[in-house]
Structure formats: C-alpha cells, structure tokens
C-alpha cells in the first residue's frame, strides 16, 4: 500500500507542475489575443480602401492587367498556406492544412498545376514528412507578424503572377488562412487574391450603399495598376497573417484552458485514489496493531496458567 501511495503522490506532483505551465500559457495567449485583434482592426481600412482603388482603376479603364484580367484557360495556380510555428493550439494548423488540401484538389480537378507556398513550421513539417514539393516557405514570425514579413512572403508571389507560365509563372493566386471571427470561433478559409473579382468587389460596395468615386489616371491606368499590384498583394497577405495570428492565440488559449481543466480533474481523481490508499494503509496498520496486541494478550494469559 505504501508503494502505491507514493506512486499517486508522485503523479499528483507531476500533473500539478504541468497544470501550472498550461495555466501560464493560457494567460499569455489571452493577453496576446487583444494585441492581435487591434492589429487586425488597424489593417482593415487600408486593405479595404486599396481594394476599392484597384476596382475603380480596373472598371474605369480597358487595360488588361494581371491584377484584374481573367485568363481564358488558366493552367497554373499558386496557393499560399498560413499555419503556425508552434504547437499546443488544438486543431488550428491541421484545419488550415485540410482546407488547403481541399482547395488544391479542386484546382487540380480543374486541370491546373499547383505551386505551394507555406508559412509556419507546422505546414512545412507536414509537407516535408509527406515529401510534397514546396516552392517557397517562411517561418519564425507567425505569432507576431510585421508588415516586413508580409512583404517577404508577397515578393515571390508577385513575381510568379507577373511571369509567363512557360517560365514558371502562375495565372492565379490563392490564399488559405484561419479567419478570426471571435474568441471562440476561428474558421479556416480560402480565397483567390488574383485576379481580383471585380464583380464581387462591386457587389460588396453596392451592398454597403457606397459609390466608387471618379478617378483620373496619370500617367496611365496600366502604370497605376503596376504600382498598386504589390501593395494590394502585400496588404492581403498582411491582413491574413494578422488574422491567423489572432486565431492561433485564441486556439492556444482554448486548448490550454482545456488542458488546465483536465489536469485539475485528474488531480482530483488521483487525490481520491491516494486517500483511499492511505485509508487502506491505516486500516491495515490498525489491524496489525490489534492483532499483535491480541496475540500478546493470549500469550500472557497462557503464561499465567
């Protein structure tokens, strides 16, 4: 019984230490969510107005440009997948990877070749373990991305959309990330960055009751689109990175809270088992004492006779 009691106590000490770690990680993640949410909110106006500007330029001119012109028979597409650098975030990265797999399967069913671009060690490790080809990858900044990180990620994507498909270029740019809806809800989503869907953008403005202003282009609409292309891709990538970071912190906070609660329940269960073992040990000791006293009494009574 004594050995069993020691095992229980040792497990309780280990789980208590783990509970302290998961509780600390939960509090850290909760504090980072607020900062990430503020960054997402701050990035939205710029991304929205930039999209409106691109839409206005495209609808106000007949210029054919990679930003807005649909290819008649697209043969190649690039997919940017955003995952996390660290684990302990529940199904955050796996959900994004599954969404990317569904997107890639759909693109291939349409007869398109797919180039994969990965952000985050989890996605890189997943593709590496399965020996899937990765065109480019980036790690080390998923929990707190800066605009400079978005520019690094966007640079090869911009080169790919501007290059000819015969030289390794692509006809479409797609992005997969985890959209931050609330503290409890984060959804893995995919969307096409380029070519920009002008009809969809116009419908969104109409639904909001907004009318696009009139613009004059100098020196030309094509030059304006050339200047806006990198800004547009960078802003979309940056916004996606920020939403993914907020989603990662929320998922980690939820996972660590669940781990802390489970550790507390396990400690209670082990404490009950330890108490039962201790009671059994005490009962056994009392029984041994009573038995010994009874034996001594019988021995004394026998000697008196």
């Amino acid at each position: 019984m004594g050995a069993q009691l020691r095992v229980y106590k040792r497990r309780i000490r280990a789980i208590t230490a783990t509970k302290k770690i998961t509780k600390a990680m939960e509090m850290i993640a909760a504090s980072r969510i607020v900062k990430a949410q503020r960054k997402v909110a701050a990035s939205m106006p710029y991304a929205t107005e930039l999209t409106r500007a691109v839409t206005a330029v495209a609808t106000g001119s007949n210029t054919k440009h990679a930003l807005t012109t649909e290819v008649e028979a697209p043969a190649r597409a690039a997919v940017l997948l955003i995952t996390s650098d660290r684990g302990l975030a529940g199904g955050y990265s796996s959900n994004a990877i599954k969404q990317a797999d569904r997107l890639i399967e759909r693109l291939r069913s349409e007869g398109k070749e797919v180039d994969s671009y990965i952000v985050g060690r989890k996605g890189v490790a997943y593709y590496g373990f399965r020996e899937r080809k990765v065109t480019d990858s980036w790690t080390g900044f998923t929990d707190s991305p800066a605009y400079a990180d978005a520019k690094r990620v966007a640079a090869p994507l911009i080169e790919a959309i501007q290059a000819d498909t015969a030289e390794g270029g692509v006809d479409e740019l797609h992005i997969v990330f985890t959209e931050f809806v609330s503290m409890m809800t984060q959804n893995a989503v995919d969307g096409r960055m380029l070519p920009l869907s002008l009809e969809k953008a116009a419908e969104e403005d109409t639904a909001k009751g907004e009318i696009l202003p009139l613009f004059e282009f100098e020196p030309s609409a094509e030059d304006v689109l050339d200047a806006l292309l990198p800004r547009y891709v960078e802003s979309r990538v940056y916004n996606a990175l920020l939403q993914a970071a907020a989603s990662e912190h929320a998922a980690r906070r939820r996972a660590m809270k669940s781990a802390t609660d489970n550790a507390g329940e396990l400690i209670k269960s082990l404490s009950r088992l330890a108490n039962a073992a201790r009671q059994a040990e005490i009962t056994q000791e009392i029984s041994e004492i009573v038995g010994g006293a009874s034996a001594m009494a019988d021995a004394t009574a026998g000697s008196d006779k």
Side-chain angles (χ1 to χ4, degrees), residues 189-260:
V189 298
D190 65 83
R192 193 181 71 176
M193 285 194 293
L194 294 177
L196 178 64
S197 178
L198 300 179
E199 293 181 359
K200 183 178 179 181
E203 288 175 359
E204 290 177 354
D205 286 329
T206 302
K208 296 177 182 177
E210 299 178 355
I211 300 175
L212 290 176
L214 296 176
F215 290 94
E216 291 184 2
F217 312 123
E218 292 183 2
S220 66
E222 185 175 0
D223 291 333
V224 173
L225 288 172
D226 286 338
L228 288 177
L229 173 61
R231 303 292 181 270
Y232 170 77
V233 176
E234 290 167 5
S235 68
R236 286 290 302 272
V237 171
Y238 183 51
N239 182 263
L241 288 173
L242 292 177
Q243 291 210 51
S247 299
E248 178 185 348
H249 294 316
R252 182 169 290 112
R253 185 200 67 82
R254 191 167 60 252
M256 291 300 98
K257 184 180 186 306
S258 177
T260 302

Side-chain angles (χ1 to χ4, degrees), residues 91-160:
Y92 166 76
S93 292
S94 61
N95 290 337
I97 291 172
K98 290 177 183 177
Q99 186 70 21
D101 286 344
R102 287 191 289 268
L103 172 61
I104 291 172
E105 184 178 353
R106 188 179 80 239
L107 293 174
R108 286 176 175 166
S109 67
E110 296 172 358
K112 303 171 187 174
E113 296 183 25
V114 178
D115 292 342
S116 296
Y117 296 80
I118 312 293
V119 173
R121 291 190 178 93
K122 291 298 179 180
V124 172
Y126 178 88
Y127 275 63
F129 181 77
R130 287 158 181 77
E131 297 182 350
R132 298 183 182 179
K133 182 181 177 181
V134 176
T135 305
D136 207 345
S137 62
W138 304 266
T139 59
F141 55 81
T142 59
D143 59 343
S144 183
Y147 193 80
D149 300 317
K151 291 185 69 174
R152 285 198 295 121
V153 174
L157 298 175
I158 295 169
E159 292 179 4

Side-chain angles (χ1 to χ4, degrees), residues 20-39:
K20 291 179 180 179
I21 295 172
T22 57
K23 183 63 177 179
M25 294 182 68
E26 176 191 346
M27 295 176 67
I28 292 171
S31 66
R32 289 178 176 175
I33 293 173
V34 178
K35 296 179 181 178
Q37 282 181 287
R38 290 173 181 170
K39 289 183 178 181

